[in-house]
Amino acid sequence: MKVLVIGSGAREHALCRSLSLDPAVSELHCAPGNAGTAEVAEAHQVDALDGAAVAALAKKLGAGLVVVGPEAPLVAGVADAVRAEGIPCFGPSEEAARLEGSKAFAKDVMAGASVPTARSYVCTTPEEIDAALDAFGAPYVVKDDGLAAGKGVVVTDDVEAAREHALACDRVVIEEFLDGPEVSLFAITDGETVVPLQPAQDFKRALDGDEGPNTGGMGAYSPLPWADPKLVDEVMRTVLQPTVDELRRRGTPFSGLLYAGLAITSRGVRVIEFNARFGDPETQVVLARLRTPLAGVLLAAAEGTLADLPPLRWSDDAAVTVVVASHNYPGTPRTGDPIEGLGDVAAKDAPHAYVLHAGTKRDGEAVVSAGGRVLSVTAVGTGLGEARERAYAALSRIRLDGGQHRTDIAAKAAAEESPEAGQAAGNATRE
């Protein structure tokens, strides 16, 4: 099988890495890719938002599967253009991708499917914004209705900051604050059958201790030894399957990756948001633990045959990823800084730890920064403690002027991990 991956982030490098290890994949291509994807896939220049250009490239390459990584091309209808050429594509249609492209649409779908979520108001005027902020009180949760590259959500006790963010959006969703830890759960679906992956937890705030501004994600880990072993079954029953069924009932079947961002509240599981693609950086740790070859699963989703696949196989190992971001992220990042030490990680830390590239590019012989989140340093181990130690040991070899990272990724979960908890997590994984 010839596979074409669309995108240029660490999520796409993680997908390319897993696909490159799949013996069913004869050729692997990535467009536009980055300096890391170029090591495992042939790079091509393409406008990822141009459906006709992506479809033409897939046809030229003779691709048997196209995997659309980021949300913006999905919302722009790139998957539709690829499928119109008769090429299997992993990723939802433009209509179904509104589940991520519009938070108001997602709330409407959840209401139709009786999916538990936060109470909310959709606001378009200053008067509606003020009324919604008054109704819920602090902490204020204000979400840009459209795509915002992971930076469209503000959670604050400052009503003026909440109002300022809301007024800057054309349409905004203001909702009640959900207490409790957050969990990311991915599911692969062909529009009918839903196959959940293993849960992960990511870290949205820029600084240690969950301080600082929201980002696209500064790290993640999996599994979650503190989570109820029945969590995945519950979310399948109350969230994932009902959502897929509701979208099919509406005539907009969702085929691809359905991502549920969840809050485990004192009143039970609640959906914070849906995404229409693999999450970043959670993909890095989830795929690090997946043992079933990836290409066949994605192709089955694209072709509507997921029900025919055997259960997914998972490693008992834990995985941790730590994001290295550029100077000034999540503000306007500084780019063009040389990245050193990547060869040292490959020589000294493989195969237990490795680097997935995000905002990088080649500048002659050098690899330089080219975005806000630059690298995802990922490691596996027999438990979260070992995986975490390996990730930070590998990260210590990397040099990026002005680079920043959190030092507490998975620290709390690793500290709480016990031999009994680790064994329980392993048993849940094997089941």
Side-chain angles (χ1 to χ4, degrees):
M1 191 194 321
K2 299 178 182 180
V3 182
L4 170 62
V5 176
I6 302 299
S8 60
R11 164 187 45 229
E12 286 73 40
H13 192 181
L15 287 164
C16 284
R17 180 181 182 274
S18 291
L19 289 165
S20 73
L21 299 174
D22 187 336
V25 176
S26 57
E27 287 183 23
L28 183 58
H29 303 268
C30 188
N34 58 43
T37 60
E39 296 176 2
V40 292
E42 185 177 345
H44 303 269
Q45 285 304 311
V46 75
D47 179 353
L49 298 177
D50 186 337
V54 171
L57 175 61
K59 197 170 183 180
K60 175 185 173 184
L61 295 173
L65 174 65
V66 175
V67 180
V68 182
E71 60 273 23
L74 293 169
V75 172
V78 168
D80 301 277
V82 172
R83 278 191 281 266
E85 292 292 335
I87 301 169
C89 184
F90 182 82
S93 67
E94 178 181 354
E95 279 295 304
R98 289 179 66 206
L99 199 63
E100 177 169 4
S102 168
K103 292 176 178 63
F105 175 76
K107 287 290 188 181
D108 188 60
V109 170
M110 284 188 266
S114 298
V115 168
T117 187
R119 292 179 296 122
S120 64
Y121 294 101
V122 180
C123 307
T124 57
T125 68
E127 293 76 18
E128 289 174 345
I129 288 168
D130 288 341
L133 293 173
D134 289 343
F136 288 130
Y140 303 100
V141 181
V142 184
K143 299 181 176 182
D144 190 333
D145 179 58
L147 296 179
K151 302 171 194 172
V153 179
V154 165
V155 181
T156 179
D157 288 324
D158 183 343
V159 68
E160 289 305 320
R163 182 179 288 111
E164 181 182 357
H165 180 65
L167 290 171
C169 305
D170 289 334
R171 185 159 76 151
V172 68
V173 175
I174 296 175
E175 62 184 38
E176 68 175 328
F177 177 76
L178 296 175
D179 64 327
E182 295 185 13
V183 173
S184 300
L185 185 60
F186 302 162
I188 292 173
T189 178
D190 57 12
E192 292 192 24
T193 300
V194 180
V195 178
L197 305 185
Q198 287 292 306
Q201 186 174 66
D202 75 330
F203 296 78
K204 288 286 196 298
R205 299 284 187 170
L207 306 176
D208 284 4
D210 291 327
E211 299 289 337
N214 261 345
T215 72
M218 295 298 291
Y221 69 93
S222 179
L224 313 181
W226 50 266
D228 187 333
K230 297 177 182 177
L231 174 64
V232 174
D233 291 341
E234 179 186 350
V235 175
M236 270 289 291
R237 185 182 70 255
T238 63
V239 175
L240 298 172
Q241 192 70 57
T243 299
V244 169
D245 292 345
E246 173 69 11
L247 285 165
R248 188 174 67 252
R249 186 189 67 77
R250 293 176 177 225
T252 54
F254 187 106
S255 169
L257 195 290
L258 177 57
Y259 167 130
L262 309 165
I264 313 301
T265 77
S266 55
R267 294 173 292 147
V269 174
R270 297 288 185 273
V271 174
I272 300 170
E273 64 176 352
F274 281 128
N275 290 337
R277 39 71 191 181
F278 279 102
D280 183 345
E282 299 97 320
T283 300
Q284 289 86 299
V285 292
V286 172
L287 291 186
R289 301 183 57 228
L290 180 65
R291 287 293 165 262
T292 301
L294 183 61
V297 181
L298 303 187
L299 182 64
E303 296 186 330
T305 58
L306 266 182
D308 299 334
L309 292 187
L312 298 181
R313 293 181 291 109
W314 296 93
S315 166
D316 289 342
D317 283 349
V320 171
T321 194
V322 183
V323 169
V324 178
S326 57
H327 175 74
N328 201 45
Y329 179 79
T332 303
R334 190 175 76 202
T335 60
D337 289 312
I339 303 166
E340 299 177 339
L342 297 173
D344 292 340
V345 175
K348 299 175 181 177
D349 299 284
H352 301 300
Y354 48 89
V355 178
L356 297 169
H357 292 233
T360 68
K361 67 177 183 180
R362 284 272 175 193
D363 183 6
E365 292 298 308
V367 175
V368 301
S369 62
R373 290 186 296 173
V374 181
L375 305 168
S376 285
V377 183
T378 304
V380 295
T382 54
L384 289 172
E386 184 175 51
R388 187 173 182 278
E389 288 173 6
R390 287 172 169 173
Y392 279 104
L395 188 151
S396 70
R397 306 187 202 282
I398 296 170
R399 295 172 295 285
L400 171 65
D401 186 36
Q404 55 176 314
H405 66 273
R406 283 183 57 161
T407 65
D408 62 348
I409 302 300
K412 184 178 178 183
E416 294 174 352
E417 194 175 48
S418 67
E420 293 78 10
Q423 183 62 42
N427 291 339
T429 300
R430 281 189 288 273
E431 290 168 5

